[in-house]
Amino acid sequence: MPDVLTLTEADVRSLVGPAEALDCMRTGFAALHRRAVTQPAIMDLEFPDFQGEAHLKGAHIHGSPFWAVKAATGFWGNPDRGLPLTNGLFLVFSAETGILSAILFDNGYLTELRTGAAGALAADLLAPADIEQAAIIGAGGQARYQLEALLGVRRPQRVVVASRSGAEAYAKEMQELHDIEVTVMPDVETAVRGSQLVVTTTPSREPVVLADWVQPGTHVTAMGSDFHEKQELEASLLGRADVVAADHPPVAAANGEVHHAVDSGAISLDDVVSLGALVAGDAQGRVNGSSITIADLCGVGVHDAAVATEVMRRAADAGLGSRIAL
């Protein structure tokens, strides 16, 4: 058996960042739109006794020498135990032989990174070119990745944050890190009403953004709904939108904001376009300055296959990693 490459989180971080992940999302979603991806159904698990969840996702982008499967977890009580809230790893296999090629011990980094990059791609495709104020709802890890990635495609004059906890620390950290004004808002409504771009990053199971709060011309990216019961946006908001996009509409119809909007009759699934169609120019995005646009990001296997393949390519070029014999 061939030796297996192993990469640590530090290795992976040195190989790919927001810019590389954004390129991966463009190519991955375009391939998904062309039906040049083999992507099985997502496996989701909940651990209600321990406030935890796990997601197994994988895919093969046709033509790639690798296919990958990712396990990602989120256990909300972990910080009280002195443990990270999220974790995960990737298994990368040869698409020619099926033999295990690598284990990426990224500890959830690639999941956070590629989700932020997908949010940036949605903003680049749908958000206004000029943004006075952007609102981040939530102040956890993904709120950090979403803002970092967003700043690669849009530069708002200021950022506001609304969260039940951690908002002050988040604002201070992001302001110092990105040299941009970040202000804590007293509530979500105030943050949303004054913003032209809104990103929700919560695990909420009831809407945190109501339809009446969103002003004409606003783009909203919702990335928290990756289970059937989760919901960040009031369903009628999707009914108000001029464009509703999803990373993969069939998955969004089962797990995302689209699921709730379709069930309520606010929209039909035929109204939803894929990010890949927008990348390819086969669907229309923002029409004018008053358009309301929404991106529903549930997270799908092509995200993971694309970024894992890029890690493998860069690791080979850099000669990075250790090898273990099976």
Side-chain angles (χ1 to χ4, degrees):
M1 292 287 288
D3 291 347
V4 176
L5 177 70
T6 64
L7 295 172
T8 66
E9 179 182 348
D11 293 333
V12 173
R13 284 181 178 272
S14 74
L15 293 169
V16 294
E20 293 80 15
L22 178 59
D23 288 341
C24 289
M25 295 307 99
R26 289 189 192 278
T27 57
F29 283 126
L32 186 61
H33 176 61
R34 297 194 311 270
R35 300 185 178 180
V37 174
T38 300
Q39 180 175 264
I42 297 168
M43 182 185 296
D44 296 319
L45 300 90
E46 285 194 275
F47 304 88
D49 291 344
F50 303 101
Q51 294 181 289
E53 60 188 51
H55 308 274
L56 279 73
K57 301 175 182 180
H60 174 235
I61 300 172
H62 300 172
S64 168
F66 303 106
W67 65 275
V69 61
K70 181 273 302 281
T73 64
F75 279 67
W76 316 115
N78 273 6
D80 293 337
R81 303 181 182 199
L83 297 171
L85 191 152
T86 59
N87 200 252
L89 59 75
F90 280 68
L91 301 178
V92 183
F93 297 84
S94 167
E96 180 180 353
T97 67
I99 300 296
L100 180 66
S101 298
I103 306 173
L104 312 183
F105 293 102
D106 68 302
N107 295 323
Y109 167 69
L110 288 175
T111 296
E112 298 273 32
L113 182 71
R114 60 78 154 160
T115 306
L121 177 61
D124 201 29
L125 293 168
L126 292 169
D130 298 312
I131 299 168
E132 182 177 344
Q133 178 173 294
I136 307 295
I137 311 305
Q142 192 51 216
R144 288 162 167 78
Y145 282 92
Q146 287 289 333
L147 179 56
E148 181 179 23
L150 172 64
L151 294 176
V153 298
R154 293 292 189 275
R155 189 74 185 184
Q157 295 179 31
R158 63 181 175 275
V159 174
V160 298
V161 58
S163 179
R164 290 186 298 180
S165 63
E168 294 286 352
Y170 174 88
K172 183 176 185 296
E173 179 186 340
M174 294 297 98
Q175 186 162 298
E176 292 176 354
L177 185 62
H178 300 300
D179 190 27
I180 191 169
E181 179 186 344
V182 184
T183 304
V184 177
M185 291 287 104
D187 52 59
V188 174
E189 180 177 358
T190 304
V192 169
R193 284 190 180 275
S195 299
Q196 296 76 52
L197 191 152
V198 177
V199 183
T200 59
T201 68
T202 78
S204 180
R205 300 199 174 209
E206 58 184 27
V208 295
V209 174
L210 302 188
D212 290 345
W213 301 349
V214 176
Q215 304 304 305
T218 303
H219 170 70
V220 180
T221 293
M223 55 67 53
S225 293
D226 54 6
F227 265 116
H228 186 81
E229 298 82 1
K230 290 185 180 180
Q231 183 179 8
E232 296 185 293
L233 309 181
E234 189 174 27
S236 58
L237 174 56
L238 280 74
R240 282 188 62 203
D242 298 277
V243 180
V244 176
D247 43 15
H248 194 39
V251 172
N255 283 353
E257 304 297 333
V258 167
H259 148 62
H260 298 286
V262 169
D263 279 4
S264 72
I267 62 171
S268 74
L269 187 55
D270 291 339
D271 297 326
V272 183
V273 301
S274 70
L275 288 184
L278 292 170
V279 170
D282 292 336
Q284 187 171 37
R286 174 170 294 274
V287 176
N288 54 52
S290 64
S291 296
I292 292 176
T293 56
I294 295 174
D296 182 12
L297 305 181
C298 298
V300 288
V302 71
H303 283 87
D304 303 303
V307 75
T309 298
E310 184 66 7
V311 167
M312 294 294 290
R313 185 184 72 80
R314 289 175 175 270
D317 289 345
L320 199 60
S322 302
R323 292 195 170 271
I324 58 174
L326 293 182

